[in-house]
Amino acid sequence: MTNAKGGFYLYIVTKVSRLRLFTLAIIAYMLLAFTWWSVLLFLKNQDAFDAKAELLQIGMVAEQRIQNDAQFFASDEYQELYNVYHRQEIMILGEGIVFIITLVLGVYLVNRSYRREVKLARQQRNFLLSITHELKSPIAGIKLSLETIKKRVLPDNMRVKLSDNAIGETNRLTSLVDDLLLSAKLDTKYVPNMEPVDLGVLATEWTNRLKIKYPEVNFQLILDGEELTILGDLYGLNSVLSNLLENSIKYLGTGTTVGLGVFERDKNVLIQVKDDGLGIPKDEKKRVLKKFYRVGNEDTRQTKGTGLGLYIVSEVVQAHHGKVDIEDNIPRGTVFNICLPFGEVS
Ligand code: ADP
C-alpha cells in the first residue's frame, strides 16, 4: 500500500517535472528566437540604411552637389536619412526590451500561480487523506465498543468504560463535523450572530470540561479584569477556544501544562492560550493559519488533524475585527494571543 502510494507520488513528481522542463525549453526557445530575429532586424535595417546612403551619395555626386565624403556626411539629405535610421534603431531596441520584460513578467506570474495551484492541490490531497483517517478511526472505535457490549456479558465497570470510549469517539466525530461545517460556512458567507458573551464564563467552562477529559494535563486558568463580556458569536468563539485548547493538548509532546488566560486590555479582551509543548517553528507561524496547512509532512507527522482548526480560529477572529498573534513560549511551547474588541455591548 505504502509502495503504491510512493510510486504514485514518484509518477506525479516525474510528470510535473517533465512538464516544467518542457515549458522552460519552450520559453528558452522563444527568447533565443526573439534575440535572433532582433539581431537580424538590426542588421537588415543597417543594410537598408547603407544602401540608401550609397544611392543618395551617387545621386549627389552625379548632380555635382558634393566633392567628397565629408561634404556628403554634412549634407541635409544624409542627416535626415541618418536620423530616420537612428530612430528605427531605437524603436527596435525599445520594442525588444518591452517584449523581454513582458515575457519575463508573464513567465513569473504564470509560474507563481502554477506553484500556488500545485501547493493547494497537495494540501487538499493531504486534507482528504487525513479527513478519511479522522472519520474512519472514531467510527471503527465506536463499532468495536458497541459490538463488544452486544456480544459479551460484561461487568458493569467494563461496560461503562466501553460506553465512555464510544461517547468520547462520538464527541470527536461531532467536533470534526462542526469544524467542517464551520469552515464551509466561512468559505461562503459567515455572518457572526452577535450576542453578549462572557469570555470569563466560557473559559471557565472549557477548563472544567478539559480537566475531566484530560486528567493527565495540568490546566491553569487566569481571569483578570472587571469586564470580560464582549459582543460576539457564541458558536464561533466556542470553536476558537475548542480548537486552540485541543491543539495545545494535541501538540503537547512531553509538555505538561496548558494555560488559558482572559484579560481586559483597554478596549479589548485578550484571550491567551499557552502551552509548554512542541512549539511552532518561526517561519511556520504565519502559514499555520492558512486553510489545510499542517506543519511537516503527512507521512512523518505523528498527530492526526485536518489543518482546519487554526484557519477557523483566524477567520472567526477576523469576523469579530480581532487579531491572532502567535509567539514562542519561554522556555518552550507556544502562546496564542487573541485580541477581541468589546463591540457595542450595552
Ligand atoms: P491540525 O491540528 O488539524 O493539523 P490546525 O489548523 O489546528 O490543524 O493547526 C495547524 C498546524 O499548526 C498543526 O498541524 C500543528 O503543526 C501546528 N500547531 C497548532 N497549534 C499548535 C500548538 N499549540 N503547538 C504546536 N503546534 C501547533
Side-chain angles (χ1 to χ4, degrees):
M1 187 68 188
T2 318
N3 276 347
K5 213 164 95 181
F8 180 68
Y9 264 131
L10 201 68
Y11 169 72
I12 294 287
V13 168
T14 319
K15 210 173 164 181
V16 168
S17 313
R18 271 195 203 146
L19 204 72
R20 288 202 77 184
L21 220 66
F22 186 60
T23 317
L24 285 176
I26 290 178
I27 292 164
Y29 170 76
M30 276 170 76
L31 276 173
L32 280 175
F34 176 74
T35 313
W36 186 76
W37 280 108
S38 302
V39 171
L40 203 69
L41 201 63
F42 233 81
L43 294 175
K44 289 290 167 206
N45 191 39
Q46 200 169 24
D47 284 352
F49 168 70
D50 288 347
K52 276 187 191 167
E54 210 177 313
L55 212 65
L56 183 69
Q57 193 172 20
I58 293 169
M60 287 173 85
V61 169
E63 286 170 16
Q64 294 187 337
R65 288 168 54 201
I66 51 164
Q67 258 81 55
N68 51 35
D69 281 355
Q71 282 179 349
F72 172 66
F73 291 139
S75 69
D76 288 348
E77 286 93 332
Y78 175 79
Q79 286 299 326
E80 198 178 319
L81 193 69
Y82 179 77
N83 284 343
V84 171
Y85 161 71
H86 192 58
R87 271 203 302 275
Q88 278 171 346
E89 231 180 17
I90 290 177
M91 210 176 77
I92 295 170
L93 205 73
E95 288 281 337
I97 290 172
V98 169
F99 178 83
I100 288 183
I101 290 177
T102 320
L103 188 71
V104 169
L105 198 74
V107 169
Y108 167 74
L109 290 175
V110 168
N111 205 30
R112 199 176 64 167
S113 61
Y114 163 81
R115 275 167 191 267
R116 277 191 190 159
E117 286 301 317
V118 169
K119 206 168 145 195
L120 195 70
R122 196 185 308 130
Q123 281 175 357
Q124 278 176 343
R125 192 172 166 275
N126 283 348
F127 169 72
L128 270 180
L129 284 178
S130 47
I131 199 93
T132 313
H133 173 91
E134 293 281 300
L135 286 170
K136 275 174 95 174
S137 68
I139 292 172
I142 295 167
K143 193 173 170 217
L144 189 71
S145 298
L146 291 176
E147 278 173 356
T148 317
I149 292 171
K150 187 183 168 195
K151 279 184 198 157
R152 298 211 192 137
V153 181
L154 296 164
D156 268 1
N157 63 340
M158 198 59 191
R159 198 175 39 78
V160 170
K161 205 173 159 199
L162 282 172
S163 308
D164 282 347
N165 191 29
I167 291 168
E169 295 289 22
T170 315
N171 288 338
R172 217 174 113 190
L173 268 182
T174 311
S175 91
L176 179 66
V177 172
D178 280 348
D179 271 2
L180 285 173
L181 286 177
L182 187 53
S183 92
K185 218 169 162 189
L186 288 166
D187 280 348
T188 49
K189 53 175 185 346
Y190 166 68
V191 185
N193 179 21
M194 295 302 201
E195 58 183 308
V197 179
D198 188 334
L199 293 175
V201 171
L202 211 64
T204 312
E205 281 173 6
W206 271 103
T207 311
N208 292 340
R209 204 172 299 156
L210 294 175
K211 268 182 183 168
I212 298 168
K213 193 170 167 193
Y214 303 101
E216 71 283 6
V217 178
N218 173 23
F219 287 100
Q220 292 175 350
L221 174 68
I222 306 174
L223 304 179
D224 182 30
E226 285 182 7
E227 187 55 74
L228 299 177
T229 300
I230 67 160
L231 201 65
D233 177 28
L234 183 62
Y235 178 64
L237 293 171
N238 255 318
S239 182
V240 167
L241 280 182
S242 152
N243 276 305
L244 290 178
L245 290 165
E246 290 282 358
N247 271 354
S248 289
I249 299 155
K250 189 157 72 169
Y251 302 106
L252 203 52
T254 53
T256 53
T257 309
V258 172
L260 172 60
V262 184
F263 310 101
E264 188 182 345
R265 290 270 188 280
D266 302 325
K267 291 193 167 68
N268 300 301
V269 174
L270 174 72
I271 302 176
Q272 193 170 68
V273 180
K274 245 188 209 187
D275 64 66
D276 56 354
L278 300 174
I280 301 178
K282 191 167 171 245
D283 52 339
E284 301 278 12
K285 285 196 175 71
K286 272 260 171 311
R287 295 189 202 141
V288 289
L289 299 179
K290 290 190 180 142
K291 195 174 186 184
F292 303 139
Y293 193 84
R294 305 200 70 218
V295 176
N297 179 290
E298 193 65 36
D299 292 329
T300 56
R301 216 170 276 134
Q302 286 172 1
T303 49
K304 284 289 164 190
T306 56
L308 282 178
L310 292 184
Y311 164 74
I312 290 175
V313 169
S314 153
E315 293 291 308
V316 170
V317 170
Q318 266 182 47
H320 284 75
H321 308 291
K323 219 173 139 247
V324 181
D325 183 50
I326 309 174
E327 290 171 9
D328 285 333
N329 195 9
I330 309 289
R332 53 173 297 202
T334 317
V335 182
F336 282 87
N337 288 311
I338 310 292
C339 189
L340 292 168
F342 277 112
E344 300 286 308
V345 193
S346 52

